[in-house]
């Protein structure tokens, strides 16, 4: 079975390639490298000892997609390609809707024309907005994401639900990721953000290697144990394995299916800082700062549905997430431009 992996050179996509390869799937990667390096794919080749076919291009390029579906006998698409920076999405909403929503539409149209109806889509816990119950399950209502990035994910989810009503050939998995962190155990691939990281873990690891002076903890007056925000951090390798489980499920089941991919365990910002310090031996200087606009107090998954239906659950705990994130950063202080 051959999978088209859009955004396969990115953080989650590159980890997914390894899990797909070890599960016996063939694949071809489509990525425009707007937020990734082809070096990541070379490292995936070294880890898997397998050639990674790569097409440099954009999901919005209908002609290229047509050619790609003609050139490769693709059975399914795992669609990671997208822009993901929340603050940037507030500043440049049109760019986000164009890339994430229009890009997905062009891809879906090309799939229809090629007769490919199997899709795994990267969604996000952000579609729950400020969830009304915790832990948040798939049965919780979606809506009111707090930024254009989140709304772009919800719009694509809505398009996918509409598609399945219109055409019963579709088999679609919507995966709502919680907070992916960590890196492959080889420490040769990992998260390589452009500029100053906006996410917690890359910020911490860059403080640890001395690239940034101190962490700002956004909010210390939330109604949580220590006043800092609580999230469900999930090891990127566990997350990647969830995609293999979803692809296998789609082989047996038509329709649209939605799963939370999280651990079910919430940790505060200070829990994460302390766990990182323990594992790395590094001291993370921090200051308590005002809340970040758009942040919610607490968000962690009820992951039961994925366990029951996919037989998937996260295996790697917080300590391992910190360990792998630290090894990646230590060995690659400048990410993929290290060589
Ligand atoms: P990433 O930026 O590392 O990977 C996305 C990849 O898509 C990059 O390689 C980028 O070059 C590529 N890309 C972007 N637009 C493209 C386009 N128009 N055509 C072709 N390639 C394009 O991000 P990631 O963390 O690996 O995220 C993967 C997916 O998961 C994204 O859709 C993201 O929104 C979603 N997601 C991520 C998180 C997270 O915290 N990392 C959480 C929830 C959902
Ligand atoms: N935080 C800090 N300091 C920082 C960065 C983050 O205190 O420098 C705090 C945040 O306030 C929050 C927690 O750390 O309480 C996690 O923040 P992240 O930015 O790492 O992650 P978010 O939960 O805000 O958002 C992430 C992704 C989104 C995705 C969402 C749900 O960035 O794309 O998880 O999946 F939608």
């Amino acid at each position: 079975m051959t999978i088209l992996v859009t955004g396969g050179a990115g953080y989650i996509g590159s980890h997914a390639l390894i899990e797909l390869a070890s599960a016996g799937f063939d694949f071809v990667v489509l990525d425009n490298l707007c937020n990734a390096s082809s070096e990541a794919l070379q490292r995936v080749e070294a880890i898997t000892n397998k050639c990674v076919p790569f097409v440099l291009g954009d999901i919005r390029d209908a002609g290229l997609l047509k050619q790609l579906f003609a050139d490769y006998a693709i059975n399914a698409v795992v669609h990671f390609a997208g822009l993901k920076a929340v603050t940037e999405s507030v500043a440049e909403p049109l760019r986000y809707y164009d890339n994430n929503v229009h890009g997905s539409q062009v891809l879906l149209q090309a799939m229809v024309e090629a007769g490919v109806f199997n899709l795994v889509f990267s969604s996000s816990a952000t579609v729950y907005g400020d969830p009304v119950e915790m832990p948040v399950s798939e049965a919780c209502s979606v809506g009111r994401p707090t930024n254009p990035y989140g709304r772009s994910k919800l719009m694509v989810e809505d398009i996918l639900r509409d598609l399945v009503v219109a055409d019963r050939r579709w088999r679609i998995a919507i995966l709502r990721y919680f907070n992916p962190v960590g890196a492959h155990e080889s420490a040769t691939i990992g998260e390589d953000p452009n500029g100053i990281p906006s996410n917690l873990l890359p910020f911490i690891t860059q403080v640890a290697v001395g690239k940034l002076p101190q962490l700002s903890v956004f909010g210390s007056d939330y109604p949580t144990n220590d006043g800092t925000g609580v999230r469900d951090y999930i090891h990127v390798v566990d997350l990647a394995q969830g995609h293999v489980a979803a692809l296998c499920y789609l082989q047996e089941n038509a329709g649209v299916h939605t799963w939370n991919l999280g651990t079910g365990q919430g940790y505060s910002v200070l829990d994460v800082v302390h766990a990182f310090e323990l594992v790395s031996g590094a001291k993370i200087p921090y200051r308590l700062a005002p809340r970040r606009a758009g942040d919610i107090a607490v968000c962690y998954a009820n992951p039961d549905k994925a366990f029951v239906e996919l037989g998937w659950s996260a295996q790697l705990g917080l300590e391992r997430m910190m360990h792998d994130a630290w090894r990646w950063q230590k060995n690659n202080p400048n990410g993929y431009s290290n060589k």
Side-chain angles (χ1 to χ4, degrees):
M1 189 162 171
T2 301
I3 316 292
L4 169 61
V5 183
T6 74
Y11 171 47
I12 303 170
S14 57
H15 288 82
L17 296 179
I18 295 167
E19 302 308 319
L20 289 169
S22 78
F25 290 101
D26 292 320
F27 46 74
V28 52
V29 171
L30 172 66
D31 200 304
N32 66 4
L33 300 182
C34 68
N35 194 37
S37 162
S38 58
E39 172 68 20
L41 298 176
Q42 288 167 32
R43 297 188 184 187
V44 170
E45 288 183 334
I47 294 167
T48 57
N49 204 18
K50 210 177 156 192
C51 166
V52 175
F54 172 52
V55 175
L56 175 63
D58 199 292
I59 53 167
R60 291 164 293 183
D61 184 341
L64 174 76
L65 287 173
K66 189 178 165 93
Q67 191 60 49
L68 213 155
F69 281 106
D71 290 346
Y72 295 86
I74 291 163
N75 309 98
V77 177
V78 180
H79 178 30
F80 293 106
L83 301 175
K84 62 164 183 177
V86 170
T87 314
E88 198 178 67
S89 80
V90 175
E92 299 175 77
L94 288 177
R95 186 167 152 241
Y96 270 67
Y97 291 123
D98 180 50
N99 199 83
N100 294 3
V101 182
H102 171 64
S104 296
Q105 281 181 274
V106 174
L107 174 67
L108 291 163
Q109 183 65 40
M111 290 177 70
V112 170
E113 283 163 18
V116 177
F117 292 95
N118 300 325
L119 175 75
V120 178
F121 173 63
S122 298
S123 189
S124 166
T126 192
V127 299
Y128 293 114
D130 196 349
V132 287
E133 66 183 64
M134 205 52 65
V136 59
S137 78
E138 298 83 349
C140 289
S141 59
V142 293
R144 309 184 68 92
T146 52
N147 52 71
Y149 164 72
R151 282 189 277 280
S152 76
K153 289 290 171 189
L154 188 53
M155 285 179 191
V156 177
E157 282 202 8
D158 283 336
I159 290 170
L160 298 177
R161 285 184 278 268
D162 287 342
L163 277 184
V164 168
V165 172
D167 187 333
R168 300 179 72 84
R169 287 174 294 178
W170 281 101
R171 294 164 182 253
I172 297 176
I174 294 173
L175 303 182
R176 292 179 180 155
Y177 309 157
F178 281 68
N179 290 58
V181 295
H184 187 258
E185 61 178 355
S186 65
T188 59
I189 61 168
E191 191 169 7
D192 183 17
N194 279 333
I196 296 180
S198 54
N199 292 120
L200 179 62
L201 234 287
F203 203 104
I204 289 177
T205 59
Q206 293 200 13
V207 170
V209 291
K211 290 181 78 176
L212 295 168
Q214 71 170 357
L215 171 72
S216 295
V217 174
F218 297 138
S220 51
D221 58 350
Y222 285 114
T224 62
N225 277 348
D226 60 19
T228 67
V230 168
R231 296 289 184 276
D232 186 337
Y233 297 93
I234 175 169
H235 198 295
V236 65
V237 170
D238 276 329
L239 188 74
Q241 286 168 357
H243 295 72
V244 173
L247 276 171
C248 293
Y249 186 91
L250 293 185
Q251 289 179 24
E252 308 293 328
N253 298 277
V256 60
H257 310 273
T258 303
W259 293 287
N260 284 342
L261 295 186
T263 65
Q265 171 81 51
Y267 289 105
S268 74
V269 174
L270 292 181
D271 287 337
V272 173
V273 169
H274 296 140
F276 183 83
E277 288 182 331
L278 215 59
V279 160
S280 65
K283 189 82 199 135
I284 303 300
Y286 67 84
R287 70 174 186 109
L288 299 179
R291 294 180 179 192
R292 184 170 66 178
D295 271 359
I296 55 177
V298 179
C299 185
Y300 58 96
N302 176 339
D304 291 351
K305 185 167 183 275
F307 180 63
V308 171
E309 296 179 355
L310 300 177
W312 172 93
S313 62
Q315 300 298 310
L316 306 172
L318 188 64
E319 193 183 321
R320 176 66 185 276
M321 299 178 210
M322 299 300 120
H323 176 81
D324 289 339
W326 175 226
R327 286 188 66 235
W328 155 253
Q329 181 73 69
K330 217 172 25 166
N331 293 354
N332 308 270
N334 298 313
Y336 291 113
S337 46
N338 209 22
K339 292 188 81 189

